[in-house]
Amino acid sequence: MSVRSVCPYCGVGCGVILETHRGKVIGVQGDPNHPANRGKLCTKGMALHKTIHTPDRITHPLMRKSRSEQLLPVSWNTALERIAQTFQSLMENHGPESIAFYISGQLMTEDYYVANKLTKGFLKTNNIDSNSRLCMSSAVMGYRRAFGVDAPPCSYEDLDIADCILIIGSNTAYCHPIIFMRIAEAKTRKGNNLKIIVSDPRKTPTAGIADLYVPLNPGSDVAFINGMIYVLMSREFISMHTEGFDEIEKIIQEYTPEMVSQICGIPSSMVREAALIYGQAKSAMTLWAMGLNQSRQGTDKNNAVINLSLITGNIGRPGAGPFSLTGQANAMGG
């Protein structure tokens, strides 16, 4: 029997077809009709059936009466009754605000809906959060600052059309392998017609396909992007197509390639080269992940890369746009 599902391991959300026999998953293959991976799987996805049936996997509830006792197997009815009694006692003695739910970016949207119904609708508390907030809140606020809504204005299909892809703060080859395969295939197919820039303090495997690798200092991402904006900004274009540039223009004026060179620890010529590769492309995309998001300046870093797209007109067109790569397949749903 074949069952279609989604791989839970990373933010790509690859479609999988699970082969089952007598209630056990015995094999897995990529779903050729799924738009995220089009039949491909990485090594993690191909080993899904092995992780499902590992000997130490918990397959039934475990319960103990106190922390000093050992956890022992119990029936689902016993476990659910214990949970219900505990919730009831907490609500009677301390109110609904004494209960909280912490859920995962690996849940389906329908699962999120039911969890919210239980928490907000039934238990009458707003104390529900997803672990997606930890990794994605910077991207959420970056998009909302720029566009008023948390929604990347591009998709996986744009990777096949782009003429330039800037990857910053992401080791895509390891963290989003299927996306990296898609970019690598596009590079093989298009050759010099697709330019790839990889900006990262470490020369990761992702940099292996780069036309330009930028080894900037840790934490200097905003300076690097602002330096690219300094080289590329056209007052006439920006005035016609964007709003609010006056607020950052004075700041951008400080980020000359020479100043950026000192902050980022790279030659000023590299700043200009990266800017011109990006700016001269007909359609340019920017991909980033936790290297930008998980930082005290995470929101500013997100807005910097979004500003780069805005001032060059790389938005709202095929093959262009600022694309945050999430850590889990339904982080945005969370």
Side-chain angles (χ1 to χ4, degrees):
M1 180 179 176
S2 297
V3 178
R4 279 183 161 80
S5 187
V6 179
C7 178
Y9 277 129
C10 78
V12 179
C14 292
V16 295
I17 300 176
L18 304 175
E19 297 298 328
T20 66
H21 180 68
R22 294 181 178 178
K24 186 174 182 179
V25 180
I26 59 173
V28 62
Q29 59 180 321
D31 187 346
N33 296 319
H34 198 281
N37 58 315
R38 300 182 294 193
K40 291 185 174 63
L41 287 179
C42 71
T43 54
K44 291 179 284 186
M46 289 188 288
L48 266 176
H49 60 298
K50 297 179 181 179
T51 58
I52 290 173
H53 299 295
T54 53
D56 58 348
R57 185 180 177 91
I58 297 175
T59 57
H60 45 257
L62 303 176
M63 195 171 78
R64 60 187 176 188
K65 293 183 179 180
S66 67
R67 291 181 181 272
S68 61
E69 296 184 18
Q70 184 179 354
L71 286 166
L72 298 174
V74 297
S75 69
W76 278 101
N77 285 339
T78 300
L80 290 171
E81 184 177 347
R82 170 78 177 276
I83 293 169
Q85 289 174 350
T86 303
F87 279 7
Q88 187 68 41
S89 175
L90 287 168
M91 291 177 68
E92 290 175 354
N93 295 313
H94 306 288
E97 292 301 304
S98 63
I99 301 172
F101 283 73
Y102 192 56
I103 54 181
S104 165
Q106 295 175 353
L107 294 177
M108 299 290 190
T109 302
E110 293 80 5
D111 299 327
Y112 282 131
Y113 178 83
V114 174
N116 275 272
K117 277 292 187 182
L118 170 63
T119 309
K120 299 177 181 179
F122 185 72
L123 298 177
K124 308 299 183 184
T125 175
N126 285 323
N127 295 339
I128 181 169
D129 202 0
S130 168
N131 63 359
S132 310
R133 183 183 303 279
L134 178 64
C135 60
M136 298 310 302
S137 57
S138 298
V140 169
M141 288 309 300
Y143 280 124
R144 289 188 65 181
R145 270 185 184 176
F147 309 127
V149 63
D150 170 29
C154 37
S155 66
Y156 291 156
E157 286 77 8
D158 289 308
L159 295 169
D160 303 323
I161 308 170
D163 300 307
C164 174
I165 299 175
L166 167 61
I167 303 173
I168 182 168
S170 169
N171 184 10
T172 315
Y174 281 9
C175 299
H176 299 85
I178 297 300
I179 294 302
F180 182 77
M181 290 183 201
R182 195 161 182 163
I183 296 171
E185 288 173 359
K187 179 63 178 173
T188 300
R189 185 175 66 252
K190 300 173 77 170
N192 287 330
N193 292 323
L194 170 60
K195 297 293 186 181
I196 298 174
I197 306 168
V198 175
S199 174
D200 198 307
R202 296 184 304 124
K203 192 171 185 179
T204 66
T206 301
I209 61 169
D211 294 281
L212 176 64
Y213 166 59
V214 182
L216 78 174
N217 289 331
S220 63
D221 310 270
V222 171
F224 173 61
I225 297 297
N226 283 351
M228 292 178 66
I229 293 175
Y230 177 95
V231 174
L232 294 172
M233 63 181 178
S234 163
R235 201 66 173 86
E236 181 180 356
F237 173 84
I238 293 167
S239 298
M240 290 177 61
H241 297 284
T242 67
E243 297 177 355
F245 183 74
D246 291 339
E247 298 176 28
I248 66 168
E249 185 175 20
K250 291 181 180 179
I251 297 174
I252 295 297
Q253 293 291 352
E254 299 176 6
Y255 286 91
T256 64
E258 290 70 28
M259 174 65 76
V260 173
S261 172
Q262 296 179 31
I263 298 172
C264 297
I266 55 177
S268 59
S269 59
M270 185 173 285
V271 181
R272 292 187 177 89
E273 183 180 3
L276 293 177
I277 290 174
Y278 189 95
Q280 291 172 357
K282 294 179 181 178
S283 298
M285 292 186 73
T286 307
L287 309 182
W288 71 96
M290 300 309 114
L292 262 61
N293 292 334
Q294 294 192 1
S295 163
R296 288 185 301 165
Q297 299 85 28
T299 302
D300 290 338
K301 292 178 181 181
N302 274 262
N303 279 122
V305 295
I306 293 171
N307 287 340
L308 179 62
S309 294
L310 287 170
I311 69 108
T312 55
N314 281 298
I315 199 160
R317 297 188 292 106
F323 197 178
S324 168
L325 299 176
T326 64
Q328 296 171 298
N330 203 18
M332 194 173 188

